[in-house]
Amino acid sequence: MNGYQTNIPIIALIIPFAAALAISLFGEKLLNLKKAVTVLSVLASLFCLGLLAKYIILKGEIATYWMSKWIPEGKLWAVGIGLQIDGLGLFAAFIVAVVCFVAFIYSAEYMKQHVNMGKYYAAFLLLYAGMLGFMFSGDLFNMYIMIEIVTIASAALIAFNNSMHRSIEAGLKYLLINAVSSSFILLGIVLLYIQTHTVNIAQLAVLLYQEPFNQLTILALALMLTGFAVKVFLFPCHSWLADTITSAPAPVSTAVSAAAGTMGIYALIRMLYFIFPGIGRTELEYLMVFWGCITMISGALMAFRQEDFKRTIGFLLASQMGYIIAGLGVGLASDGYVSVMGTVGSLYYTLSFVFFSSLLILCTGAIKYGTGTAYTEEIGGLYKVMPFTAAMFFIGAASLTGIPVFNGFPARWMFYVAAWKAGFIPVAVIAAAVSIMNLISMVLLGKTIFFGKQSRSVENIKPIPLMMKFAMAVLSIGCIAGGTVPDLINRYLVKPAAASIYDIGSYIDVMFVKGYSLKVFKQRPEIPNMDHILTGWWQPGAWLILFITLMISLIILLSLHLRTLKASVLKEENGTSVNNEAVIKGMSESTKPLRRYITGALKYRFEIYYDGMRRIHSSSVNDYLLWVVTSLAVVTIWLFAVL
């Protein structure tokens, strides 16, 4: 790759930051003008990204900008602040920009009845600018600064509806948990600086490649991994996500979970592929794969227990993040083809995740907007009065569960193939079983909300405004396009990002001088084209294996129910008391057979598991923080033991 210096990155950052400052100066006056300024600011930065795409995607170049012209010429040591955008950075920035634009279009009507909207617009622009600056930063310290901006803006937006106690509580939880995670990240950066005397990513990549792991760098890696695990809601650091989606306005939940989650994935890739030489390190590979599996399982099982459909979506989204992280773990494999498959699959899954998660969150917001409630048992029969929202919901649900023709299918299929070829056959089986649980959750949720018995909330339903429908329609188009034309999306978005991940040498040379990395890094592997065979559209043998795996998973779930019924009957015949409150509740709350057979069995057979999950999700911020610290301890012990 070649590099070129341009002012476009700093312009893309200055516009939303300056707009946020200007909006905050005028209090609550000129709200329509402020709304227009916010939209134009996001569009202007999107236009800047389009200009960068001309060089980064079409010409294969890397864009750089040095503040105050502090270019490390001759001395080969980075002192100034540098912005550097490669294919990966542009990929993540594009996701953030599109999601924030759609979320703001949605919020123009959704938030119309709220007060202090001037502050909302300013905080929203700060959130967007902070995430964009994070993707553009070429050094760790400025990435940390942007993390703090995003954290403060997110907490303010989550607690924006301060007339509700639950919103304030969720905002405070988010602030405290993410403040601790940010402290871990900062401490990790400090330790790396002590070791290398630099925070520049390109220079760290060279220095740590020569001497990757000692006591300081291992501790720094553990701190930063745990800190970013909170950002991408990995188990057990995921508790804040369900609270946020439940309590925050829907457009805020979209920006915080989908866009900020992308920010965390981007950071993990920079850490494990760039800064620390993670490719070929089985210790890191096993850690990320295991962490991803635990996350996908816990999220899928917890989704069954929720009575608030927004919390159900929250846990399902946490489960989906497990696929992405496990895929990144497979991407650290030493085998070149398997590594590339895992990485490309994770990038494609990230793009798919952002679209279907945003769509589902906005659908839940539309349901609450129309009915005034988020409790599953209080609504039903909405299909007749909200047909558009129902259609959007089922498109998002089909994408989340990996149904063919939607964007979740090619992403999940690549994960299956990569995990299988990497030797993680149990992981592929677990992922298929979790897919079944996700499908069951979405079927139960959709059936209850849209096709269940009509509730009184349907009688006084509010019509959904056109702009909210437009936002959901844009995301639904992305979900369908991702499943029908994956080759185009791979060519212009995923493949350039994957190529930049494996072309670390160019990233370093562009930041310094050409040839600086030749002594360290080898030539990058070939990135395969994403055709219909690669994405699983036509592999009969693989389809058969997947079908058998899914059938086995479904049989296991049904057998759990039969064993539960048998145990209950035997205990009752023997006159012993049965502690099957979960079964009774799961069977009596609804007359839906599928819910009786599945959720009741899971709640009873995994009673010990759910007791533990209740302790983890105790709604106490002290417990949440304890689990974050516990995660740090476990990761630290593992890394010191194996590295």
Side-chain angles (χ1 to χ4, degrees):
M1 286 187 179
N2 299 316
Y4 77 105
Q5 295 189 28
T6 175
N7 295 327
I8 296 177
I10 194 64
I11 294 174
L13 288 179
I14 287 177
I15 290 174
F17 274 122
L21 176 62
I23 287 175
S24 63
L25 294 177
F26 292 95
E28 294 304 307
K29 302 176 182 178
L30 307 173
L31 289 181
N32 289 331
L33 178 61
K34 291 180 178 180
K35 185 188 301 183
V37 168
T38 305
V39 173
L40 292 175
S41 299
V42 178
L43 285 176
S45 61
L46 259 174
F47 177 74
C48 291
L49 294 180
L51 296 177
L52 290 174
K54 175 183 177 182
Y55 297 95
I56 296 173
I57 294 178
L58 300 181
K59 297 183 179 181
E61 297 182 344
I62 298 177
T64 59
Y65 178 84
W66 286 92
M67 300 286 192
S68 303
K69 301 297 181 182
W70 280 36
I71 304 174
E73 295 178 350
K75 53 189 176 182
L76 299 180
W77 201 267
V79 178
I81 299 174
L83 305 180
Q84 187 166 358
I85 305 94
D86 59 358
L88 177 63
L90 185 65
F91 172 80
F94 169 78
I95 290 176
V96 166
V98 170
V99 169
C100 287
F101 175 72
V102 172
F104 186 79
I105 293 297
Y106 185 94
S107 66
E109 290 292 339
Y110 187 86
M111 304 291 294
K112 200 171 184 178
Q113 305 302 321
H114 289 73
V115 297
N116 298 323
M117 287 302 295
K119 297 177 182 178
Y120 176 84
Y121 298 145
F124 195 94
L125 282 174
L126 280 179
L127 172 66
Y128 170 67
M131 289 188 288
L132 208 61
F134 184 87
M135 314 303 182
F136 286 0
S137 294
D139 66 85
L140 291 179
F141 183 74
N142 283 285
M143 290 176 73
Y144 168 75
I145 296 297
M146 296 301 169
I147 288 174
E148 290 299 285
I149 293 174
V150 170
T151 299
I152 295 172
S154 298
L157 289 170
I158 292 171
F160 183 76
N161 189 10
N162 53 24
S163 61
M164 293 178 59
H165 172 76
R166 190 168 63 174
S167 297
I168 299 176
E169 180 184 357
L172 181 60
K173 288 178 182 177
Y174 177 89
L175 182 62
L176 292 175
I177 294 171
N178 281 271
V180 171
S181 70
S182 299
S183 300
F184 289 168
I185 295 169
L186 178 60
L187 183 54
I189 294 172
V190 170
L191 293 178
L192 288 180
Y193 183 80
I194 292 173
Q195 177 69 24
T196 62
H197 306 293
T198 184
V199 292
N200 182 272
I201 294 175
Q203 198 151 30
L204 282 168
V206 173
L207 297 175
L208 292 180
Y209 186 89
Q210 298 168 349
E211 186 182 353
F213 297 112
N214 55 37
Q215 291 182 344
L216 276 180
T217 55
I218 291 175
L219 182 57
L221 176 60
L223 286 164
M224 297 175 73
L225 272 179
T226 307
F228 286 117
V230 175
K231 310 299 182 185
V232 296
F233 26 93
L234 293 183
F235 178 86
C237 308
H238 65 302
S239 305
W240 64 268
L241 178 65
D243 292 341
T244 297
I245 293 179
T246 303
S247 306
V252 173
S253 300
T254 299
V256 171
S257 61
T262 303
M263 187 177 76
I265 295 168
Y266 170 85
L268 289 174
I269 293 175
R270 288 291 188 212
M271 283 177 52
L272 297 174
Y273 288 79
F274 283 75
I275 298 175
F276 295 94
I279 297 178
R281 303 297 301 234
T282 56
E283 305 91 345
L284 296 175
E285 180 185 358
Y286 291 153
L287 173 62
M288 300 308 294
V289 170
F290 177 78
W291 211 343
C293 284
I294 293 297
T295 301
M296 68 173 78
I297 294 171
S298 63
L301 288 175
M302 283 304 298
F304 284 111
R305 289 193 60 85
Q306 308 311 311
E307 297 180 358
D308 187 310
F309 62 79
K310 297 181 76 174
R311 287 187 70 85
T312 302
I313 296 297
F315 283 108
L316 287 174
L317 296 186
S319 177
Q320 300 309 298
M321 187 60 72
Y323 286 91
I324 298 173
I325 299 305
L328 289 179
V330 174
L332 298 176
S334 56
D335 185 291
Y337 178 79
V338 172
S339 174
V340 170
M341 280 290 294
T343 304
V344 171
S346 288
L347 290 175
Y348 203 95
Y349 212 124
T350 301
L351 182 63
S352 302
F353 169 83
V354 166
F355 275 90
F356 67 65
S357 65
S358 300
L359 178 58
L360 288 172
I361 293 173
L362 295 188
C363 285
T364 62
I367 294 170
K368 188 173 182 181
Y369 178 91
T371 63
T373 182
Y375 287 100
T376 309
E377 299 301 328
E378 294 180 4
I379 54 179
L382 295 183
Y383 177 74
K384 295 181 180 180
V385 291
M386 301 179 70
F388 180 84
T389 302
M392 296 298 102
F393 178 88
F394 285 111
I395 290 175
S399 301
L400 182 146
T401 54
I403 302 298
V405 187
F406 299 97
N407 59 3
F409 176 75
R412 192 166 296 184
W413 184 263
M414 281 187 286
F415 172 77
Y416 292 148
V417 173
W420 195 279
K421 289 184 176 295
F424 292 108
I425 297 176
V427 173
V429 174
I430 290 172
V434 171
S435 297
I436 282 289
M437 289 189 282
N438 290 335
L439 177 61
I440 292 171
S441 293
M442 296 309 297
V443 168
L444 294 177
L445 192 61
K447 187 177 180 182
T448 302
I449 294 174
F450 295 106
F451 297 101
K453 183 179 179 180
Q454 286 194 358
S455 60
R456 293 182 179 179
S457 59
V458 176
E459 300 174 359
N460 300 316
I461 197 167
K462 293 170 58 177
I464 306 302
L466 180 62
M467 295 306 293
M468 292 172 60
K469 291 182 177 180
F470 173 77
M472 291 187 286
V474 170
L475 294 172
S476 68
I477 292 173
C479 291
I480 296 173
T484 54
V485 288
D487 50 341
L488 291 178
I489 293 176
N490 174 67
R491 186 185 311 163
Y492 294 110
L493 282 175
V494 178
K495 187 174 181 179
S500 66
I501 291 175
Y502 291 98
D503 197 9
I504 307 174
S506 294
Y507 186 90
I508 296 169
D509 288 347
V510 167
M511 205 66 167
F512 294 94
V513 293
K514 189 174 183 179
Y516 183 62
S517 63
L518 288 179
K519 297 180 181 179
V520 182
F521 296 100
K522 300 178 181 179
Q523 188 176 4
R524 66 179 176 87
E526 184 69 22
I527 307 299
N529 290 319
M530 186 180 293
D531 53 23
H532 288 333
I533 295 178
L534 181 63
T535 52
W537 282 99
W538 184 243
Q539 291 188 26
W543 272 92
L544 179 61
I545 294 173
L546 178 61
F547 176 78
I548 293 173
T549 303
L550 295 180
M551 289 299 99
I552 292 174
S553 302
L554 184 58
I555 290 171
I556 292 174
L557 291 176
L558 292 175
S559 67
L560 289 174
H561 170 72
L562 296 178
R563 292 177 62 185
T564 300
L565 288 182
K566 183 177 180 181
S568 300
V569 171
L570 290 175
K571 288 184 178 181
E572 290 176 358
E573 289 178 350
N574 294 331
T576 57
S577 60
V578 183
N579 184 19
N580 60 351
E581 178 183 355
V583 177
I584 296 172
K585 184 177 181 180
M587 293 182 177
S588 62
E589 280 182 345
S590 172
T591 59
K592 301 173 178 62
L594 188 59
R595 185 169 184 172
R596 290 201 308 269
Y597 279 95
I598 302 299
T599 60
L602 286 175
K603 290 177 182 179
Y604 178 72
R605 298 300 301 179
F606 295 100
E607 186 176 358
I608 297 177
Y609 166 82
Y610 282 120
D611 286 342
M613 288 297 102
R614 278 195 294 268
R615 296 187 183 94
I616 293 177
H617 303 88
S618 62
S619 298
S620 170
V621 70
N622 293 332
D623 291 340
Y624 290 177
L625 293 174
L626 176 62
W627 285 111
V628 173
V629 176
T630 302
S631 299
L632 173 62
V634 172
V635 172
T636 303
I637 293 172
W638 168 259
L639 293 179
F640 270 100
V642 299
L643 292 178

